[in-house]
Amino acid sequence: MDNEIFIVTQIKKLVYEISKQILDINSLKEIEKEVTEKGKNNYVTTFDIKVENKLKTALKELIVESTFLGEETGGKIESKGYTWVVDPIDGTTNFIHGLQYAISIGLVKYGKPIIGCIYSPSTEDFWYGIKGKGAYKNDIKLQVSQRDSIKDTVIEFGFPYDTSKTENILKNVLKIKQAGAADVKRIGPACLDICRVASGECDAYFEYDLKPWDIMAAMLILQEAGGTLYKMDGTKYEFTQGSIIVSNKSQKLKKQLLELIN
């Protein structure tokens, strides 16, 4: 446990340093000149690359024998030893437009997540989870909501880059609202959407076509707060590209969501 807390503490220092050195407001004044479209509606900035390179170097120094999987530089999750799974800026579109984004860092040991850390520079919120030891936001322990019915819930969702799926997303939003949800919100980025379910601010979340670096750290935080994450067909999520439903621990709510969302 002490070693895990040490790692979390070092990650916290690292993301604070990155926020001040790379993501400070003066640097961001020229952000629109630093944007490249790497896929349809999928953007990368020089800041994504700078942050990832900084994290890659520092995290591999923290655990010398570790490997690395990052959104911008690639890699893979190893079945043996430690692998860092990193999204340097989750929510790059938000970042470009001055909206909330996050740095997401997960640590995997023998293919299983053991630490998840997420930092939101714009709000200075730091979320973390340690396998078997709970999940926290700014050192306050997290617990998912207790609602067990769609009625009066707040549900979040996301849009995939594949615009051919937009219509289906919107149909699901309408079905959830008509089923009695208090609200259905699009906020983003994915890792913070999942964290909001972990903290009980929202009750569930769904999105198509997420990658491991979008999910890894937040998934551990969610599970340590008592929540569940599964594929659209209700089966267990594996660490590949996938469409997911996230919810509190209510099996009743899970069943209702699966019936509504396809």
Side-chain angles (χ1 to χ4, degrees), residues 77 85 106-108 113 211-221 239:
I77 298 173
V85 182
L107 180 61
V108 176
K211 302 290 182 67
W213 48 77
D214 297 313
I215 300 171
M216 183 68 69
M219 179 177 71
L220 181 62
I221 292 168
F239 304 138

Side-chain angles (χ1 to χ4, degrees), residues 217-235:
M219 179 177 71
L220 181 62
I221 292 168
L222 172 83
Q223 291 171 335
E224 287 298 311
T228 57
L229 184 150
Y230 41 93
K231 295 195 292 187
M232 292 279 182
D233 62 3
T235 58

Side-chain angles (χ1 to χ4, degrees), residues 52-166:
E52 183 156 317
N53 286 336
K54 175 78 171 177
L55 289 171
K56 189 173 186 178
T57 299
L59 293 172
K60 292 184 79 172
E61 287 176 356
L62 187 57
I63 300 179
V64 176
E65 300 300 323
S66 61
T67 56
F68 189 91
L69 168 63
E71 179 175 10
E72 309 306 336
T73 58
K76 65 178 182 178
I77 298 173
E78 299 290 349
S79 58
K80 296 181 179 180
Y82 294 93
T83 303
W84 296 103
V85 182
V86 169
D87 192 337
I89 297 180
D90 190 14
T92 300
T93 302
N94 276 15
F95 174 66
I96 293 166
H97 291 275
L99 301 172
Q100 189 174 11
Y101 63 97
I103 301 169
S104 177
I105 301 169
L107 180 61
V108 176
K109 182 179 181 181
Y110 294 106
K112 303 293 183 182
I114 60 169
I115 291 174
C117 297
I118 293 169
Y119 179 58
S120 173
S122 54
T123 63
E124 298 187 341
D125 289 321
F126 182 76
W127 315 68
Y128 73 92
I130 297 173
K131 181 67 176 176
K133 305 296 182 181
Y136 301 82
K137 177 184 179 183
N138 302 328
D139 295 322
I140 298 173
K141 194 166 187 179
L142 301 178
Q143 179 64 48
V144 293
S145 73
Q146 302 299 310
R147 296 183 184 90
D148 64 357
S149 172
I150 290 287
K151 182 175 171 56
D152 298 327
T153 56
V154 174
I155 311 292
E156 293 185 275
F157 72 99
F159 283 117
Y161 295 125
D162 183 353
T163 54
S164 69
K165 299 179 181 180
T166 301

Side-chain angles (χ1 to χ4, degrees), residues 229-262:
L229 184 150
Y230 41 93
K231 295 195 292 187
M232 292 279 182
D233 62 3
T235 58
K236 182 181 177 182
Y237 168 76
E238 301 295 343
F239 304 138
T240 58
Q241 177 172 327
S243 302
I244 63 167
I245 302 175
V246 171
S247 73
N248 61 23
K249 59 185 174 184
S250 168
Q251 289 299 307
K252 182 179 177 182
L253 180 59
K254 175 181 177 180
K255 182 179 179 182
Q256 289 178 319
L257 288 169
L258 286 170
E259 289 173 352
L260 290 168
I261 297 172
N262 60 68

